[in-house]
Amino acid sequence: MPHPCRPGILDEAPISRTRRIRISEGRSVSLRRIEADDLPQIAPHLFTVSITEPLTELPRLQAVHAATGLWLEDSGAVAIVENVGGRMVGTMQFYRSSPVIHGYELGYIVHDPADRGKGYASEATRLLTELLFAERPGCFRLQLIIETWNEASWRIAERCGYVREALLRKAGFSTEDPEDCYLYARIRGD
């Protein structure tokens, strides 16, 4: 059974369709909870809001969203939205990758390739990093696992203060011939 959300800024009252509450705001983008009308835009992207299943079939994504709001004690997802106009440009997620790690793994995606390279993912990563450390006192570590070929993504991690700690051999997302990955982490106090 899922754990209920802990009280705090991340767990405000349900969001109405007319008033979208931003939970963290930066210069260009903000983070907000994912709403039901966001789901058709999210569904085409594998593992963008859940690491345990792809959630690319809209009825299944809608059912999971209705049951959890895509926000539980040990995992959650947020929309990355432009501050001007409120257009959703991507999503971020966090999840507990291991019960013995005192923190979470993060993932992010900017949906439209035309929106990539504009700093949205970097700013969103900084915002979620700060938010998780502030709202979850038991969180001491945040990490990213990034395939070695994805230089743009590991540059985002480095810009956000994450330190490359390791090379994880054959740890990539493909099941046929997994790529090597870098492990990046940021700890509370960095």
Side-chain angles (χ1 to χ4, degrees):
M1 177 175 221
H3 297 286
C5 298
R6 283 198 304 213
I9 190 169
L10 297 174
D11 305 310
E12 297 179 13
I15 301 167
S16 74
R17 298 185 93 192
T18 58
R19 185 171 168 250
R20 295 179 178 215
I21 298 172
R22 295 177 182 189
I23 58 175
S24 186
E25 190 167 340
R27 192 182 82 256
S28 301
V29 298
S30 295
L31 304 178
R32 68 165 169 76
R33 295 286 293 273
I34 292 172
E35 300 175 18
D37 59 349
D38 296 325
L39 301 179
Q41 182 180 341
I42 292 169
H45 304 282
L46 283 170
F47 298 104
T48 187
V49 293
S50 169
I51 196 63
T52 58
E53 65 178 296
L55 290 179
T56 54
E57 295 180 17
L58 189 55
R60 175 67 180 144
L61 178 56
Q62 290 168 326
V64 170
H65 182 268
T68 68
L70 299 175
W71 199 267
L72 300 169
E73 181 64 26
D74 284 335
S75 63
V78 293
I80 305 168
V81 296
E82 289 178 317
N83 285 342
V84 176
R87 180 176 68 96
M88 183 172 64
V89 295
T91 53
M92 288 199 72
Q93 64 172 295
F94 71 94
Y95 53 92
R96 188 161 312 274
S97 59
S98 169
V100 297
I101 293 177
H102 299 284
Y104 304 97
E105 191 167 319
L106 304 182
Y108 46 79
I109 183 172
V110 173
H111 296 156
D112 186 343
D115 287 326
R116 296 177 187 160
K118 296 180 178 180
Y120 294 154
S122 294
E123 188 168 13
T125 299
R126 277 192 296 276
L127 291 171
L128 188 57
T129 297
E130 292 167 6
L131 196 60
L132 289 171
F133 280 140
E135 286 293 315
R136 295 172 182 254
C139 175
F140 293 95
R141 174 187 177 85
L142 296 173
Q143 64 186 35
L144 298 157
I145 296 178
I146 303 167
E147 291 177 318
T148 56
W149 61 264
N150 193 346
E151 182 176 351
S153 193
W154 46 266
R155 294 285 180 216
I156 289 168
E158 292 168 356
R159 278 193 295 274
C160 293
Y162 284 74
V163 175
R164 186 183 299 175
E165 293 183 336
L167 173 70
L168 304 174
R169 297 181 303 151
K170 298 294 185 190
F173 305 108
S174 171
T175 56
E176 290 180 24
D177 188 17
E179 297 281 339
D180 292 346
C181 293
Y182 292 128
L183 172 65
Y184 279 88
R186 185 160 164 197
I187 59 171
R188 182 182 295 277
D190 276 354

